Amino acid sequence: MPLQISFELSDRDLAHFTQAMEAARAAAAGKSADEIIAASAKLLEGAGKVEVPDFIAERLDRLDALIAMLRDDGWHLPEEDKQRVLSALVYFADPKDVIPDSLPVLGYFDDAIAIEMCVKDLKHELDAYDEFCEFRQGEAERRGLDPAQVGRADWLEARRDELVDRMHRRRNRQTGSGYGDSSGYQRRGYTTPYRPGMIRVR
């Protein structure tokens, strides 16, 4: 019988995680983009070898999407957007995170919270990339192509530009003033073969 547990992270709790993420950024200061992406993918690889609760698995799937959008040649993020995603991934490049990943069941709990915080900040990037992947999947199948081999096709580029522009507009409105191949953790549709504030975790 399923058991549902809900809890809220207070401002103090979030400040603790924000501090940990800032410490991770400092520790990863000398790492290249490839090293940060590889470390994040390694975390997912490790998580794929153990049984994790569904709420952690769902958030690891979002981390997979962040990795995918950085590796995806068809999506080819502008440099500023790429740096936004890399900045979110640096926490996962630090092996000394809040809870050791080797701890059974709870080892990825802090990672799930960090992912939730990143997803909140990168909502428009993730929405745009999800829509891009869905479009590419459907259009490639209609044309009898393998989505993983499409690359920067002309018929895909126009849709990609539309989505990136929309992503920027939505992000700018929100702030008042975006993020291939996937790690292969779980989700179909990428390019593999296949602010602080109150956060509620379920």
Side-chain angles (χ1 to χ4, degrees):
M1 181 177 180
L3 173 64
Q4 180 173 339
I5 300 175
S6 298
F7 63 92
E8 289 183 339
L9 298 179
S10 68
D11 288 339
R12 187 179 70 173
D13 297 329
L14 288 170
H16 174 69
F17 275 95
T18 300
Q19 184 178 22
M21 293 175 78
E22 290 300 329
R25 287 189 177 95
K31 294 184 182 293
S32 68
D34 288 342
E35 287 174 321
I36 293 172
I37 295 169
S40 300
K42 184 177 180 181
L43 182 149
L44 289 181
E45 181 182 353
K49 296 177 180 178
V50 298
E51 192 74 23
V52 296
D54 288 344
F55 76 89
I56 292 180
E58 290 168 2
R59 286 157 179 84
L60 290 173
D61 183 52
R62 294 286 74 195
L63 176 59
D64 189 39
L66 294 175
I67 295 169
M69 66 172 68
L70 288 172
R71 290 176 165 176
D72 195 331
D73 183 55
W75 187 234
H76 60 97
L77 274 178
E79 186 61 27
E80 181 181 352
D81 298 309
K82 181 178 179 180
Q83 290 304 317
R84 278 174 56 82
V85 183
L86 285 171
S87 179
L89 293 185
V90 291
Y91 178 81
F92 312 104
D94 183 5
K96 298 178 182 178
D97 55 10
V98 176
I99 304 174
D101 294 339
S102 58
L103 186 67
V105 182
L106 294 179
Y108 296 100
F109 184 74
D110 63 311
D111 298 306
I113 293 175
I115 293 167
E116 186 75 11
M117 294 172 72
C118 294
V119 165
K120 183 179 180 184
D121 286 340
L122 300 174
K123 170 179 167 49
H124 301 308
E125 285 83 353
L126 285 163
D127 287 349
Y129 186 59
D130 282 345
E131 191 167 335
F132 172 79
C133 291
E134 290 175 5
F135 175 81
R136 175 172 54 193
Q137 180 77 22
E139 198 56 24
E141 290 178 353
R142 187 180 70 82
R143 295 166 182 261
L145 301 172
D146 178 359
Q149 304 300 320
V150 168
R152 299 191 187 186
D154 290 341
W155 55 264
L156 185 60
E157 194 72 8
R159 183 57 178 154
R160 177 262 178 200
D161 290 346
E162 290 174 2
L163 290 169
V164 169
D165 286 345
R166 188 190 73 184
M167 174 185 82
H168 289 159
R169 290 195 306 271
R170 289 180 175 179
R171 193 170 73 204
N172 289 339
R173 282 201 302 268
Q174 179 177 316
T175 59
S177 49
Y179 290 175
D181 75 49
S182 160
S183 67
Y185 169 68
Q186 187 173 19
R187 178 80 177 269
R188 285 185 72 248
Y190 300 140
T191 59
T192 52
Y194 181 16
R195 314 160 206 301
M198 194 64 71
I199 294 178
R200 183 179 297 276
V201 180
R202 294 185 179 275

